[in-house]
Amino acid sequence: MAYLNHNPSDVFRPVRIGLIGSGWMGAFHAESIARRVPGAELAAIADPNVESATALASVLGASKVTADAADIFADPEIDAVIIASPARFHSSLIAQAAGAGKHVFCEKPAGLGLDELDAALAAVEAAGVHFQIGFNRRYAEDFQAAKKDLAAGTVGTPQLLRSLTRDPGTGSIPHAARVPAWTVFLETLIHDFDTLNWFNEGAEPVEVYAIADALVEPGLRDQGFLDTAVVTIRYSNGAIAVAEANFSALYGYDIRGEVFGSKGMVQAGRATETAARRYTAEGMAADTPRLNVELFRQAYTDELVDFTDAVRARRNGTPPPSAGYALTPGAADARRALAIALACIESVKRGTPVAVNEAAVL
């Protein structure tokens, strides 16, 4: 008796993903793909630091390691890439990946200038690949609950919005002198900018006014280091938003968002690790998260589940799953948030409000 012809469907073939950049965030994403994302496979790791990439691959079972991302782009077995390299390489890597037909998940920011980002996103559109940027707060349970209320019109028309990021610290910032210029806008507050844009969906940011200083490390102020910032954003629907950041919250990692509207208010985020409280003779206390991968562990996983599902849907020609409201942050979201960040930088330089999109490059 001869074997029956059987062609297994791509539905069950894992989405094979290559990682570019094996640093802090890249390593966590790699672990998520290897251990927590159903139907995904960590196929390869690229990093100029081959020793780091090899060590990560040996722990997570990735079979291929290279110093050159071009090897991943040329690999026909790889479906998609996660870009977790330093930000200055993001736009170029996005364009290269798209040109090779790979779907792209990129950590924020997707570029350091609108011109370079527009070129990268044009490559994505021309190739017809899926693009997603790592705005993980959209995947946090409480932020999604707030978004559902906003989408349902529960709070009416947004009028005042707020988003904040307070990184955990000890009162000083180790290696602050090596932090790239304008990080507070390009890599920290850019999350808040996306949150505000997402919460105020349908409106465009039109003008920003930013104030920033070195209040944690004042000795580095003359070198251009900034660790504290407040930004006011005016939107096309008249809503006014405030975003703030600081690099050293002694009490832990603090991420929150809020929308006040014509019918009420919705809030998201918390400074405590759980809802548990302890009451003793010393007073009331609660544990607080100290790392982004603690506070947003599930959100970081779920954003990659969303990415993997979208890649699989495109590969198999099936409709992607729908959340019933805007969720996946894509090309327009990456550009909109970067445009605000660049306008903030220009506003700090000038000391005046700046129109969004007026500052096209860093």
Side-chain angles (χ1 to χ4, degrees):
M1 180 178 177
Y3 285 114
L4 298 174
N5 289 329
H6 176 62
N7 296 312
S9 169
D10 275 352
V11 170
F12 303 106
R13 180 169 68 83
V15 173
R16 300 187 178 104
I17 298 175
L19 173 72
I20 301 172
S22 59
W24 167 260
M25 206 61 242
F28 189 81
H29 284 325
E31 182 187 351
S32 295
I33 291 297
R35 296 175 175 172
R36 294 187 290 274
V37 177
E41 176 186 322
L42 181 63
I45 300 175
D47 195 306
N49 184 343
V50 178
E51 184 177 339
S52 168
T54 301
L56 184 62
S58 65
V59 170
L60 298 178
S63 60
K64 301 174 182 178
V65 174
T66 178
D68 190 349
D71 293 329
I72 287 182
F73 299 146
D75 190 335
E77 295 185 352
I78 291 178
D79 301 300
V81 297
I82 293 174
I83 298 173
S85 63
R88 64 185 181 275
F89 301 119
H90 286 184
S91 287
S92 174
L93 289 169
I94 291 168
Q96 292 175 63
K102 310 300 183 188
H103 304 284
V104 180
F105 178 97
C106 184
E107 267 303 326
K108 47 71 194 169
L112 297 182
L114 294 182
D115 291 342
E116 68 177 50
L117 178 56
D118 285 344
L121 297 180
V124 167
E125 185 174 3
V129 297
H130 178 63
F131 173 82
Q132 184 173 329
I133 187 166
F135 288 140
N136 59 289
R137 291 183 200 181
R138 295 187 179 208
Y139 295 86
E141 185 178 3
D142 49 352
F143 280 81
Q144 284 200 27
K147 177 62 178 179
K148 289 176 184 177
D149 279 345
L150 292 165
T154 303
V155 301
T157 303
Q159 296 171 348
L160 296 172
L161 301 93
R162 186 183 184 210
S163 183
L164 65 85
T165 298
R166 296 173 185 166
D167 290 337
T170 61
S172 64
I173 304 172
H175 315 301
R178 299 207 298 267
V179 174
W182 308 113
T183 290
V184 70
F185 297 118
L186 292 167
E187 301 199 36
T188 301
L189 277 165
I190 199 163
H191 278 294
D192 299 272
F193 301 152
D194 178 68
T195 297
L196 295 168
N197 291 339
W198 187 47
F199 279 174
N200 196 22
E201 187 177 358
E204 290 295 325
V206 295
E207 185 182 74
V208 306
Y209 179 55
I211 301 173
D213 204 343
L215 302 182
V216 183
E217 294 288 352
L220 296 176
R221 182 181 294 112
D222 292 342
Q223 299 179 34
F225 176 73
L226 301 171
D227 53 46
T228 306
V230 177
V231 179
T232 302
I233 307 169
R234 183 176 290 277
Y235 282 88
S236 58
N237 63 350
I240 301 171
V242 175
E244 66 169 77
N246 183 279
F247 286 171
S248 188
L250 300 184
Y251 57 87
Y253 195 40
D254 187 3
I255 306 293
R256 284 175 278 154
E258 176 182 293
V259 179
F260 173 88
S262 57
K263 295 181 181 179
M265 180 179 70
V266 63
Q267 295 178 322
R270 53 181 168 77
T272 57
E273 193 168 4
T274 69
R277 302 286 189 275
R278 67 182 66 91
Y279 298 82
T280 67
E282 286 75 35
M284 184 182 74
D287 293 329
T288 57
R290 300 283 163 167
L291 294 172
N292 58 339
V293 294
E294 293 175 351
L295 181 61
F296 288 118
R297 182 179 182 86
Q298 192 60 48
Y300 281 129
T301 300
D302 288 348
E303 68 179 351
L304 294 181
V305 170
D306 186 28
F307 176 68
T308 301
D309 287 348
V311 171
R312 184 185 299 107
R314 289 199 179 207
R315 186 186 68 191
N316 299 340
T318 58
S322 174
Y325 56 91
L327 175 62
T328 307
D333 303 301
R335 192 188 194 282
R336 191 176 288 114
L338 179 60
I340 295 176
L342 294 171
C344 288
I345 293 169
E346 192 64 24
S347 178
V348 170
K349 290 178 179 178
R350 297 183 191 178
T352 64
V354 169
V356 176
N357 286 335
E358 184 176 336
V361 297
L362 181 62

